[in-house]
C-alpha cells in the first residue's frame, strides 16, 4: 500500500529490488502520479500547549489583542502573495479593530457592521500574507457596558471557494460602573438639571 506525504501532489517513483541466491539482483521501477486535490484554506489558531484554545479574557469596556489567528493554504505553498483568500470575522456583541493600513482589504459589500443591531460581521479579501498581517493587528472590544461570553467566529475561503472555520471564546468580565451624579442647580435646591 502506498500513501504520499500529506499535501503532496506530483510524481514519485517506487523502486523494487529482487535479490536471490545464485543470481544478480533485478531492479524495476514503478512511476506513481499523485493527483492534486483542493485542500481548503485552514484557519489556524495558535493553541500553544493546549489542545483547544484557552479563550481570551478582557474587562468590560476594554480592548484586547487577538493576534494568534492565521490562515494556511497547503495548496499554495509558502509564498502567499498571489494566493487570494476571503476571511469573515464575526462576533455576537463585540466590535473588531485592525490597523488602518489594511483598510483596502475590507469588503464593504459583503460586510455587515451594525452595532446598534448587534451585528458585527467583517469580510476581508486579498493575498493570504496580507490577510495574515492584518490578523496580527486584530483587537476586540465588547459593546459599551456589555459583559458575558462572546465568540469570534473565523471563516476562510480559498480561491476555489472551499471553506474552513475556527473560533475563539472571548470572556468579557464585568466592572462596576461608577455612580453617576445628576447635574444640580444650586439656585434651585431640590431640582436636577437634565
Amino acid at each position: 500500500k502506498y500513501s504520499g506525504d500529506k499535501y503532496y501532489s506530483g510524481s514519485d517513483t517506487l523502486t523494487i529490488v529482487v535479490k536471490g541466491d545464485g543470481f544478480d539482483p533485478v531492479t524495476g521501477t514503478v512511476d506513481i502520479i499523485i493527483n492534486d486535490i483542493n485542500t481548503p484554506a485552514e484557519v489556524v489558531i495558535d493553541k500553544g500547549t493546549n489542545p483547544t484554545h484557552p479563550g481570551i479574557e478582557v474587562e468590560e469596556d476594554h480592548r484586547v489583542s487577538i493576534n494568534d489567528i492565521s490562515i494556511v493554504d497547503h495548496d499554495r505553498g509558502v509564498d502567499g502573495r498571489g494566493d487570494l483568500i476571503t476571511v469573515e470575522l464575526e462576533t455576537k456583541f463585540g466590535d473588531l479593530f485592525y490597523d488602518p493600513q489594511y483598510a483596502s482589504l475590507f469588503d464593504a459589500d459583503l460586510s455587515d457592521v451594525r452595532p446598534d443591531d448587534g451585528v458585527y460581521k467583517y469580510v476581508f479579501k486579498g493575498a493570504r500574507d496580507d490577510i495574515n498581517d492584518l490578523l496580527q493587528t486584530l483587537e476586540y472590544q465588547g459593546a459599551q457596558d456589555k459583559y458575558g461570553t462572546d465568540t469570534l467566529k473565523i471563516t476562510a475561503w480559498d480561491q476555489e471557494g472551499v471553506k474552513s472555520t475556527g473560533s475563539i471564546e472571548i470572556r468579557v468580565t464585568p466592572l462596576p460602573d461608577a455612580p453617576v451624579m445628576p447635574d444640580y442647580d444650586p439656585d434651585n435646591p431640590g431640582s436636577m438639571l437634565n
Side-chain angles (χ1 to χ4, degrees):
K1 182 177 179 179
Y2 173 89
S3 180
D5 290 340
K6 191 173 184 178
Y7 307 123
Y8 177 76
S9 63
S11 61
D12 200 353
T13 302
L14 173 65
T15 302
I16 304 166
V17 179
V18 179
K19 297 179 182 178
D21 291 337
F23 62 90
D24 292 334
V26 177
T27 302
T29 59
V30 177
D31 292 328
I32 301 170
I33 304 298
I34 302 163
N35 293 324
D36 184 26
I37 60 168
N38 182 28
T39 305
E42 181 183 357
V43 176
V44 177
I45 299 171
D46 181 17
K47 299 176 173 79
T49 58
N50 297 313
T52 59
H53 194 280
I56 293 172
E57 193 165 291
V58 61
E59 291 180 332
E60 172 189 344
D61 301 332
H62 287 77
R63 281 191 191 184
V64 64
S65 293
I66 306 175
N67 57 6
D68 43 4
I69 305 166
S70 62
I71 309 299
V72 175
D73 191 348
H74 301 285
D75 294 333
R76 305 291 175 201
V78 176
D79 180 14
R81 289 288 164 213
D83 179 17
L84 300 177
I85 61 170
T86 301
V87 171
E88 178 183 285
L89 305 172
E90 188 170 5
T91 63
K92 293 185 284 187
F93 66 80
D95 212 347
L96 299 172
F97 302 89
Y98 56 92
D99 190 316
Q101 72 174 317
Y102 301 108
S104 64
L105 301 174
F106 179 71
D107 190 319
D109 293 333
L110 294 176
S111 296
D112 189 6
V113 182
R114 292 176 285 124
D116 292 341
D117 296 328
V119 177
Y120 302 92
K121 181 174 80 171
Y122 293 82
V123 178
F124 302 94
K125 287 183 168 182
R128 183 187 58 192
D129 285 355
D130 293 337
I131 295 288
N132 282 333
D133 290 346
L134 176 149
L135 291 172
Q136 294 306 303
T137 72
L138 197 63
E139 294 181 322
Y140 168 92
Q141 182 172 339
Q144 183 73 28
D145 296 328
K146 181 88 173 170
Y147 59 89
T149 301
D150 201 348
T151 301
L152 170 61
K153 182 179 176 188
I154 308 108
T155 306
W157 290 266
D158 64 14
Q159 289 179 211
E160 289 78 24
V162 181
K163 75 175 182 177
S164 69
T165 61
S167 63
I168 296 177
E169 181 180 278
I170 303 169
R171 294 176 299 279
V172 182
T173 59
L175 284 178
D177 291 326
V180 177
M181 187 71 164
D183 293 329
Y184 178 73
D185 182 359
D187 295 330
N188 187 6
S191 71
M192 289 182 280
L193 297 176
N194 293 327

